[in-house]
C-alpha cells in the first residue's frame, strides 16, 4: 500500500486514539485537512515549487504512523542535543509524546506547555481555537497532513508587555524502536504586544532507522513584539525533515528565523512571512553545510502588504561531494506596500565538482516607491587566498576551513544567544571536519 493510501485509511484509527479534544475547533480542522491531503497527495517534481526536490526515496519506505515511545530514554541520551550551558525552559517530545520528566515548563508570566494540555483549559483552548491553522495555508498538502495527524506539540503563549527571561528549547526525538517512522510535530507560538521571546528548535533521530519528520510551526507576533526563532538541523544520514513555518506579524514587530542545516538525507524548509501592519521588520537567515548525497531545499516567502516595512534575507550554502542545494526565495510587494525595503541574497560555495546548487531569488513588485534588491552567487574557494594562508604556515585543511568559516561568519554573527552561537560554531567546525579551538 502506498504511503498516501496508508495515511488516509489510518485516519479514523488515529482519531480514536488521538490526544486532542474532539470537541475543539482542532477536530473539525483535522477532518477538513485529511480530505484536502487525500485530494492533493504528496508533492512531486511536476509541481513547480518542488521542481528540484523528490520525496520518492522516502515515500517508498514502510513508515510507521503510530510509534511506541521508548520509556527508557533518559537525560543522558539527549544531553548532547541540548544547549546545556544556559538556563532555559524545555519541551521534550519522544516519538511524538511529551516527556514531562525531561521537560521544564511554566505558567509564570508566560505559558510554555503542550497543545493537549492547553486544550483542557478554557483560557488556553480559546487561544488555540483562535489561532491554530489560520496561517498554515491550504495549498500546502504537507501542512495539511500535519494538521490531520498532529497529536501533540509545543504551545507557547506570551502575554503582552512580557520579556521571557529564559530561552525556550523545543526538542523532538525519534527512537526508532519500531523501525522506520513518520512524525508530525506541531508548534503554536503567540506573542503579545511589546513582548520578547527566544526559541530554539531541534529534531533528532536517536537511531539508525529511517525517520521522516513533517513539522509545522505557526508564529503570531503582535504589535511591537520581538521573536527570535533558531532552528538546528543536524540529524543522521537516514533522517529527513519537512519543516513548514508560518509567521504573521502585526505593526512595528520584529521577527527573525535562523536556520542551520548541517545533517539529514533530505531537508525541505518552507518559511513564510505575512505582514499585517506597518513598520514591520522580518529577518530570514540560514546557512547549509552538506556532504555525501545530502539535499537541502530552502523555500521562503515574504508577503509585504503594508507600507514602510523591511525584510532582510541572507542564505549561504557550502556543498561538498554529491550534495545538492536549492534556494527559492520569493518577495512579494503588494501595491499598497509603498516605502518597502526588501533585501535578499543567496551565496554559495561548491567545494567539489559533483556538488550542485539551484538558486532562484524572486521579486514580485506591484508598488512604485520601494527599495528592493536580490542577488545570487555561486563559486569556489579563492585559490589565491588559500595559497597565501598555506605560505604563512597554515595547513591546507585548516586554511580551507578558515576561509569557509569567514564565508559563513555574517550569518552566525546574527545569533543573539552567546551559548547558542558557540554551539553553532562547533557544529560548523564538526561539519567542516576540523577543530579550530576557537569560536567565530
Amino acid at each position: 500500500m502506498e504511503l498516501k493510501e496508508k495515511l488516509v485509511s489510518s485516519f479514523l484509527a488515529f482519531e480514536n486514539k488521538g490526544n486532542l479534544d474532539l470537541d475543539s475547533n482542532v477536530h473539525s480542522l483535522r477532518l477538513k485537512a485529511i480530505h484536502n491531503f487525500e485530494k492533493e497527495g504528496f508533492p512531486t517534481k511536476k509541481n513547480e515549487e518542488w521542481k528540484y526536490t523528490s520525496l520518492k526515496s522516502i515515500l517508498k519506505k514502510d513508515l510507521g504512523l503510530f510509534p511506541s515511545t521508548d520509556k527508557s530514554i533518559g537525560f543522558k541520551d539527549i544531553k548532547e542535543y541540548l544547549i546545556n550551558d544556559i538556563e532555559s525552559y524545555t519541551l521534550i517530545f519522544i516519538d511524538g509524546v511529551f516527556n514531562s520528566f525531561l521537560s521544564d515548563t511554566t505558567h509564570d508570566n508566560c505559558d510554555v506547555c503542550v497543545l493537549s494540555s492547553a486544550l483542557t483549559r478554557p483560557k488556553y483552548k480559546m487561544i488555540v481555537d483562535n489561532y491554530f491553522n489560520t496561517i498554515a495555508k491550504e495549498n500546502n498538502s504537507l501542512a495539511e497532513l500535519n494538521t490531520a495527524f498532529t497529536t501533540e506539540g509545543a504551545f507557547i503563549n506570551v502575554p503582552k508587555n512580557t520579556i521571557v527571561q529564559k530561552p525556550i528549547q523545543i526538542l523532538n526525538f525519534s527512537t526508532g524502536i519500531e523501525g522506520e517512522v513518520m512524525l508530525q510535530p506541531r508548534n503554536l507560538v503567540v506573542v503579545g504586544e511589546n513582548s520578547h521571546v527566544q526559541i530554539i528548535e531541534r529534531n533528532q533521530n536517536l537511531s539508525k532507522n529511517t525517520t521522516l519528520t513533517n513539522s509545522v510551526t505557526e508564529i503570531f507576533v503582535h504589535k511591537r513584539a520581538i521573536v527570535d526563532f533558531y532552528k538546528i538541523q543536524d540529524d543522521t544520514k537516514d533522517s529527513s525533515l519537512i519543516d513548514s513555518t508560518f509567521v504573521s506579524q502585526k505593526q512595528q514587530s520584529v521577527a527573525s528565523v535562523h536556520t542551520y542545516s548541517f545533517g539529514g538525507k533530505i531537508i525541505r524548509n518552507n518559511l513564510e512571512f505575512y505582514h499585517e501592519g506597518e513598520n514591520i521588520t522580518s529577518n530570514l537567515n540560514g546557512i547549509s553545510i552538506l556532504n555525501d548525497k545530502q539535499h537541502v531545499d530552502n523555500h521562503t516567502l515574504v508577503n509585504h502588504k503594508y507600507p514602510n516595512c523591511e525584510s532582510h534575507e541572507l542564505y549561504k550554502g557550502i556543498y561538498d561531494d554529491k550534495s545538492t542545494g536549492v534556494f527559492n526565495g520569493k518577495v512579494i510587494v503588494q501595491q499598497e506596500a509603498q516605502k518597502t525595503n526588501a533585501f535578499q541574497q543567496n551565496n554559495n560555495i561548491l567545494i567539489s565538482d559533483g556538488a550542485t546548487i539551484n538558486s532562484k531569488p524572486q521579486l514580485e513588485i506591484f508598488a512604485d516607491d520601494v527599495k528592493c534588491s536580490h542577488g545570487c552567487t555561486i563559486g569556489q574557494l579563492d585559490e589565491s587566498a588559500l595559497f597565501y594562508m598555506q605560505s604563512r604556515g597554515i595547513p591546507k585543511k585548516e586554511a580551507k576551513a578558515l576561509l569557509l568559516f569567514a564565508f559563513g561568519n555574517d550569518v552566525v554573527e546574527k545569533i543573539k544567544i552567546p551559548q547558542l552561537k558557540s554551539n553553532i560554531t562547533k557544529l560548523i567546525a564538526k561539519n567542516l571536519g576540523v577543530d579550530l579551538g576557537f569560536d567565530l
Side-chain angles (χ1 to χ4, degrees):
M1 181 184 296
E2 292 187 359
L3 183 58
K4 175 188 171 182
E5 296 174 355
K6 182 179 178 180
L7 285 162
V8 173
S9 63
S10 302
F11 180 72
L12 182 59
F14 167 80
E15 280 273 84
N16 291 334
K17 65 182 295 185
N19 295 327
L20 295 182
D21 182 3
L22 295 181
D23 294 328
S24 73
N25 185 45
V26 175
H27 174 59
S28 60
L29 288 174
R30 292 200 308 192
L31 289 173
K32 182 179 179 181
I34 192 62
H35 289 308
N36 288 340
F37 173 75
E38 183 178 15
K39 178 182 177 181
E40 299 295 331
F42 287 99
T44 68
K45 296 181 76 171
K46 293 181 180 179
N47 184 324
E48 182 64 26
E49 297 297 311
W50 288 79
K51 183 177 179 180
Y52 299 107
T53 300
S54 172
L55 299 177
K56 281 185 177 181
S57 62
I58 310 171
L59 301 183
K60 68 182 181 181
K61 301 286 186 178
D62 185 20
L63 299 174
L65 305 180
F66 311 122
S68 297
T69 302
D70 187 345
K71 295 180 174 59
S72 66
I73 296 296
F75 180 71
K76 68 181 187 306
D77 302 301
I78 67 171
K79 180 180 179 181
E80 66 178 290
Y81 305 110
L82 285 157
I83 311 299
N84 289 296
D85 47 357
I86 58 172
E87 287 191 34
S88 67
Y89 300 113
T90 54
L91 293 165
I92 308 295
F93 301 89
I94 310 294
D95 291 325
V97 178
F98 177 62
N99 188 306
S100 59
F101 178 76
L102 295 173
S103 300
D104 180 11
T105 62
T106 186
H107 288 291
D108 294 333
N109 298 321
C110 67
D111 304 298
V112 180
C113 61
V114 292
L115 280 171
S116 61
S117 175
L119 285 170
T120 63
R121 305 183 183 187
K123 173 185 174 182
Y124 304 129
K125 181 177 181 296
M126 184 183 302
I127 296 173
V128 175
D129 285 345
N130 286 340
Y131 289 100
F132 187 87
N133 208 50
T134 57
I135 49 174
K137 298 301 180 181
E138 293 184 6
N139 61 356
N140 184 330
S141 66
L142 291 167
E144 293 278 31
L145 178 61
N146 177 282
T147 300
F149 278 91
T150 191
T151 57
E152 195 58 283
F155 175 72
I156 299 170
N157 177 50
V158 183
K160 65 180 181 180
N161 304 317
T162 302
I163 297 177
V164 181
Q165 297 297 330
K166 299 190 293 186
I168 301 168
Q169 298 193 64
I170 305 171
L171 293 101
N172 294 285
F173 292 100
S174 170
T175 62
I177 61 171
E178 292 186 345
E180 300 166 335
V181 67
M182 183 177 190
L183 299 176
Q184 312 273 0
R186 183 73 172 235
N187 304 317
L188 177 61
V189 181
V190 181
V191 185
E193 296 181 16
N194 305 309
S195 295
H196 182 200
V197 66
Q198 296 175 316
I199 302 170
I200 304 167
E201 181 190 33
R202 181 165 185 160
N203 298 283
Q204 189 67 45
N205 186 1
L206 299 177
S207 75
K208 295 182 179 180
N209 291 322
T210 298
T211 297
L212 172 60
T213 301
N214 179 36
S215 176
V216 172
T217 299
E218 292 180 289
I219 305 172
F220 297 85
V221 191
H222 287 278
K223 297 178 183 178
R224 297 176 297 278
I226 302 174
V227 174
D228 297 304
F229 202 108
Y230 302 92
K231 295 177 177 290
I232 302 175
Q233 301 170 346
D234 187 34
D235 215 339
T236 66
K237 296 294 178 67
D238 293 307
S239 302
S240 295
L241 171 67
I242 301 166
D243 186 288
S244 299
T245 300
F246 306 90
V247 185
S248 174
Q249 292 184 250
K250 299 293 187 182
Q251 53 263 43
Q252 295 180 278
S253 65
V254 180
S256 305
V257 176
H258 312 259
T259 306
Y260 309 101
S261 304
F262 304 132
K265 182 178 181 179
I266 295 176
I267 301 173
R268 165 73 179 220
N269 292 307
N270 302 307
L271 178 58
E272 301 183 6
F273 281 74
Y274 296 92
H275 288 188
E276 304 296 343
E278 295 190 37
N279 300 111
I280 288 171
T281 300
S282 301
N283 299 308
L284 301 79
N285 302 297
I287 184 168
S288 303
I289 303 177
L290 301 185
N291 55 33
D292 293 336
K293 295 181 179 180
Q294 293 175 299
H295 178 93
V296 64
D297 183 346
N298 287 301
H299 261 64
T300 67
L301 167 68
V302 182
N303 194 339
H304 289 265
K305 296 190 282 186
Y306 289 83
N308 304 302
C309 295
E310 298 184 8
S311 63
H312 306 277
E313 184 169 3
L314 178 61
Y315 276 75
K316 293 199 170 184
I318 299 171
Y319 303 99
D320 201 356
D321 301 326
K322 294 183 179 180
S323 62
T324 58
V326 180
F327 175 80
N328 191 329
K330 182 183 293 186
V331 176
I332 300 175
V333 182
Q334 306 288 1
Q335 187 172 356
E336 297 79 10
Q338 304 294 340
K339 304 293 183 182
T340 289
N341 181 4
F343 167 81
Q344 183 186 76
Q345 185 69 33
N346 175 229
N347 298 329
N348 304 279
I349 289 180
L350 303 180
I351 299 178
S352 71
D353 293 337
T356 304
I357 175 69
N358 296 285
S359 183
K360 186 181 179 183
Q362 295 177 263
L363 291 176
E364 295 184 10
I365 303 173
F366 302 97
D368 53 16
D369 186 8
V370 299
K371 183 180 179 182
C372 299
S373 63
H374 66 168
C376 167
T377 62
I378 301 172
Q380 297 178 320
L381 279 176
D382 187 338
E383 291 295 333
S384 60
L386 188 61
F387 176 78
Y388 174 82
M389 296 176 72
Q390 289 181 264
S391 70
R392 294 299 183 268
I394 301 175
K396 183 176 181 179
K397 183 177 180 180
E398 283 72 17
K400 181 178 176 181
L402 280 170
L403 289 174
L404 293 174
F405 263 115
F407 172 75
N409 186 47
D410 46 356
V411 175
V412 179
E413 282 297 321
K414 299 179 187 298
I415 301 174
K416 297 180 182 179
I417 304 173
Q419 297 88 341
L420 176 62
K421 182 179 178 182
S422 175
N423 181 273
I424 294 298
T425 301
K426 292 174 182 176
L427 285 176
I428 290 175
K430 183 192 78 171
N431 283 278
L432 292 177
V434 295
D435 182 6
L436 297 178
F438 61 85
D439 293 343
L440 285 174

